[in-house]
Amino acid sequence: MAFESSLLFGMYSQMKQSLQGSAQGAGPQLQVIIPSAAYSGAIISFILCPSELVKCRMQVQGTDSLVPMSRRYDSSLDCALKTVKHDGVRGIFRGGFTTLLRESIGNAVFFSIYEHVRYHMHLHLKSASPDHRNLIDVGVGIASGGLGGIAFWSAVLPLDVAKTIIQTAPDNSSSRNPFQVLSSIYRRAGLKGCYVGLGPTIVRAFPANATAIVAWEVAVKLLGIKRD
């Protein structure tokens, strides 16, 4: 996660700076934010897919699991090695397309919400005392990052549900098409089935993303990196 987050924020910042040269204007610009965020999300999906496949398979196995004894894993490394041995390199990237969709769409939503909330909050608080500027910046980071995280998962949780099913299915011949998987879930359990786990995901999303944004903004300041 440390490597993935640093790569995501670094690529987003660089891509955004590159695109802003041809799209000048006041305030957040969706024509810059969306492609920058979607591109960054697509790139990190190639890192996230193998790591999440291992994580998901390790989490679903247990003493009462349906995973056959011959396919159980002793550790994360054992899971990765056995997956490659049985399914080849393609096996470790199972669910890659779904992960790419989730990260591209999710980060486009996340950064759009983050940038707009951050901009408008700073606009309303610009007359605040300079003595409290650092505290205000932290507060804005918490609010904008937390709301961005909630928006991210509200938008793409169905894709995450489909990804988990695709990556943990014991049958290699099962569908890898997220839309077919979601269609099957919808027929069986309705919209509620596509959003299973929404509660704990949202509870986690606010503090996790608020912390990530505050850490990013503090790091940018400490490193003396200029940003709008």
Side-chain angles (χ1 to χ4, degrees), residues 130-157:
D131 296 336
H132 302 112
R133 177 52 55 191
N134 289 336
L135 189 61
I136 289 171
D137 288 346
V138 170
V140 170
I142 290 172
S144 57
L147 291 173
I150 290 174
F152 178 111
W153 286 107
S154 298
V156 300
L157 187 63

Side-chain angles (χ1 to χ4, degrees), residues 157-158 160-162 164-165 185 189-201:
L157 187 63
D160 189 64
V161 171
T164 301
I165 291 172
I185 294 172
L191 189 62
K192 186 177 179 180
C194 298
Y195 275 91
V196 65
L198 178 64
T201 300

Side-chain angles (χ1 to χ4, degrees), residues 96-107:
F97 174 63
T98 311
T99 307
L100 186 146
L101 284 178
R102 186 195 69 181
E103 292 302 310
S104 296
I105 297 169
N107 279 295

Side-chain angles (χ1 to χ4, degrees), residues 12-24 29-37 39:
Y12 170 73
S13 298
Q14 291 297 316
M15 186 78 172
K16 183 183 167 190
Q17 287 177 9
S18 298
L19 293 178
Q20 273 180 331
S22 59
Q24 296 297 329
Q29 302 160 38
L30 288 178
Q31 69 270 29
V32 171
I33 295 169
I34 291 175
S36 300
Y39 172 79

Side-chain angles (χ1 to χ4, degrees), residues 31 48 56 62 104 211:
Q31 69 270 29
L48 284 175
C56 289
S104 296
T211 303

Side-chain angles (χ1 to χ4, degrees), residues 178-189:
F179 303 108
Q180 289 181 355
V181 172
L182 287 173
S183 176
S184 174
I185 294 172
Y186 184 79
R187 287 195 300 270
R188 186 173 66 253

Side-chain angles (χ1 to χ4, degrees), residues 55-136:
K55 175 182 71 73
C56 289
R57 291 188 174 184
M58 291 296 293
Q59 287 178 332
V60 297
Q61 72 173 6
T63 54
D64 58 345
S65 173
L66 296 176
V67 178
M69 288 297 297
S70 60
R71 293 299 297 271
R72 294 199 179 170
Y73 314 110
D74 299 323
S75 65
S76 297
L77 179 61
D78 181 53
C79 176
L81 293 175
K82 281 184 177 177
T83 299
V84 173
K85 181 180 178 181
H86 287 94
D87 306 324
V89 176
R90 285 188 62 191
I92 202 73
F93 282 96
R94 182 172 184 155
F97 174 63
T98 311
T99 307
L100 186 146
L101 284 178
R102 186 195 69 181
E103 292 302 310
S104 296
I105 297 169
N107 279 295
V109 172
F110 172 81
F111 281 106
S112 295
I113 297 297
Y114 158 70
E115 295 281 10
H116 278 84
V117 172
R118 175 177 176 268
Y119 173 78
H120 289 291
M121 286 188 74
H122 276 303
L123 203 62
H124 284 87
L125 296 169
K126 64 181 179 181
S127 59
S129 170
D131 296 336
H132 302 112
R133 177 52 55 191
N134 289 336
L135 189 61
I136 289 171

